[in-house]
Amino acid sequence: MNKDIYFTKEYAQVNELIERGKAIFIDIECEYGHITHSAIKREIGTQINGVKYYDMVTPYGYGGPIIHEYTNMTKLIEVFEDTLVDYCETHNIVSEFVRFHPMFQNQEPFRSIYDVSYTRKTVGTDLLNFEDPFQSEFCSTARRRVRKLIRDDRFSCLVAAKFEDIEDFIEIYNDTMDRHHATDFYYFDREYFERLKWEFGDKLFTTSVFFEGRIIAMGLYFMSDDVIHDHLNGTLADYLHHSPAYLLKYTMMNWAKANGFSFVHYGGGVTNAEDDSVLKFKKRFSSHTEFDFHIGRRIWNHKVYDALCRKKGIDRETDFFPAYRAPKIAVKKN
């Protein structure tokens, strides 16, 4: 069975805080096989005829349904769809938005259920197939900057388990979000970090870069089977010119390689553009390793979906999904 953290019920429960909803976990075991599916059920603020409706979304990051085993794939998929149809009808679910896991390509068996589309690449460092990932996966610019930093005695690095340094991380992460003028979605309440620590303490670790004894950059990571997921990072603004983020990636890569992990997955950019600056930075540590990221859309109740769009004054054909949550400036598809 796949044990990736993004597919677990517990990860969905932690992310209730981000999506302001309720975690659901569908577990289907039958004669045809085993599927699990986690999501966040969110209330839609607009009511129709006085009735509350909801939609579902993948918890922050990746997820979607995952097949653990099967004897008859076609029949298992049919059971899964029937289960979701019944669930959505019973619980007034209007639509669902899925961010499939790029490392597992779990969208493939579910193309008959969701409107699946490719959006962008995600990247990572392959620790298994390269004897020296630093030389093979890090670009020349990254290698040069790392070597400069490790020769400078003012800098030091630390890998720490169990997220005990939560206070330092929150300070540095919030400073980074302030600098980027991030939207509220990318600011996580202290309770989110506390719940992560409570639920996944043994699977969390941080890397820290110190400058003359002061922490100036940190990364937060998940250990998930043989994969390290790079979750969140930050650097204090006053030290950006030193480029400590390169040392964070190097320190984490070395630790993961030494401890028998196969991949470090960094994720993608903040937009779907090929020249997205965040993705371009991550590619500096991923010269040969990338994954296709897909999303899935499904309208479970077309009548209510259309009614919500009309009531919000939104064109249902906008690229934004679900359309009734789109800003009113949304542009119709060509």
Side-chain angles (χ1 to χ4, degrees):
M1 289 186 182
N2 190 285
K3 299 295 185 183
D4 193 272
I5 194 170
Y6 286 120
F7 295 128
T8 64
K9 174 172 59 178
E10 292 78 13
Y11 184 73
Q13 290 171 337
V14 170
N15 279 268
E16 290 175 336
L17 295 168
I18 296 177
E19 295 292 352
R20 296 178 175 85
K22 182 68 176 177
I24 64 170
F25 188 74
I26 295 172
D27 191 341
I28 299 171
E29 284 192 86
C30 65
E31 59 184 307
Y32 306 120
H34 184 198
I35 291 178
T36 57
H37 182 37
S38 60
I40 305 293
K41 185 178 81 170
R42 307 176 299 181
E43 182 178 338
I44 302 168
T46 304
Q47 297 185 10
I48 302 297
N49 297 325
V51 178
K52 287 184 180 180
Y53 287 94
Y54 305 84
D55 51 25
M56 296 194 296
V57 66
T58 300
Y60 182 82
Y62 313 106
I66 183 75
I67 296 175
H68 300 283
E69 58 186 7
Y70 67 92
T71 57
N72 187 320
M73 176 74 79
T74 301
K75 291 290 187 182
L76 182 60
I77 297 299
E78 288 176 0
V79 171
F80 175 74
E81 183 169 22
D82 289 343
T83 301
L84 257 67
V85 167
D86 290 343
Y87 181 88
C88 292
E89 183 177 353
T90 302
H91 294 86
N92 288 348
I93 305 293
V94 177
S95 67
E96 182 179 5
F97 181 77
V98 180
R99 292 184 294 269
F100 291 101
H101 201 311
M103 296 193 72
F104 296 95
Q105 296 296 299
N106 57 312
Q107 75 280 350
E108 292 306 318
F110 301 97
R111 286 183 176 272
S112 63
I113 297 177
Y114 298 99
D115 175 16
V116 174
S117 58
Y118 164 82
T119 61
R120 61 175 181 260
K121 298 289 186 181
T122 69
V123 297
T125 298
D126 186 339
L127 307 174
L128 186 63
N129 295 305
F130 295 110
E131 184 175 347
D132 185 353
F134 177 64
Q135 189 66 35
S136 299
E137 289 278 54
F138 283 43
C139 73
S140 59
T141 298
R143 296 196 304 270
R144 184 169 60 252
R145 293 191 178 184
V146 166
R147 289 177 180 130
K148 179 182 178 181
L149 289 167
I150 59 179
R151 286 195 300 265
D152 192 329
D153 291 340
R154 295 174 298 172
F155 292 92
S156 59
C157 305
L158 176 69
V159 177
K162 298 186 178 182
F163 204 15
E164 299 293 345
D165 43 11
I166 187 170
E167 297 294 335
D168 292 324
F169 184 82
I170 290 174
E171 177 188 353
I172 291 175
Y173 180 77
N174 286 343
D175 181 84
T176 303
M177 293 302 101
D178 290 344
R179 185 172 66 251
H180 290 296
H181 306 290
T183 62
D184 290 344
F185 180 79
Y186 291 100
Y187 283 89
F188 302 108
D189 292 341
R190 177 179 298 274
E191 186 181 356
Y192 170 74
F193 292 111
E194 293 286 358
R195 287 186 65 177
L196 267 184
K197 179 181 176 183
W198 173 264
E199 195 64 59
F200 297 107
D202 291 339
K203 296 181 182 296
L204 296 176
F205 74 97
T206 57
T207 56
S208 301
V209 174
F210 294 79
F211 179 79
E212 296 180 338
R214 181 185 180 184
I215 298 180
I216 62 169
M218 292 185 72
L220 175 64
Y221 311 92
F222 296 133
M223 294 182 283
S224 188
D225 198 16
D226 67 337
V227 174
I228 297 293
H229 289 299
D230 191 341
H231 188 50
L232 299 169
N233 294 268
T235 300
L236 292 178
D238 291 343
Y239 298 89
L240 275 174
H241 62 285
H242 290 299
S243 300
Y246 288 88
L247 206 48
L248 283 179
K249 294 288 191 289
Y250 176 73
T251 301
M252 181 257 296
M253 179 273 294
N254 277 338
W255 183 90
K257 177 73 172 177
N259 284 274
F261 290 90
S262 298
F263 288 93
V264 177
H265 185 229
Y266 304 119
V270 295
T271 70
N272 294 336
E274 290 187 9
D275 62 349
D276 181 277
S277 60
V278 173
L279 180 59
K280 287 174 69 175
F281 174 73
K282 292 176 179 179
K283 282 184 174 180
R284 296 181 181 183
F285 314 97
S286 183
S287 296
H288 302 96
T289 305
E290 61 182 20
F291 307 92
D292 291 339
F293 172 53
H294 295 79
I295 60 172
R297 302 175 175 93
R298 176 67 185 257
I299 299 174
W300 294 104
N301 188 326
H302 285 271
K303 182 179 179 180
V304 173
Y305 188 94
D306 291 346
L308 286 166
C309 290
R310 288 194 301 270
K311 195 165 186 179
K312 294 290 290 292
I314 296 291
D315 188 332
R316 65 160 288 160
E317 297 304 318
T318 176
D319 287 328
F320 197 97
F321 187 88
Y324 52 78
R325 288 188 182 269
K328 289 192 176 183
I329 59 172
V331 178
K332 186 175 180 178
K333 293 180 183 177
N334 293 328

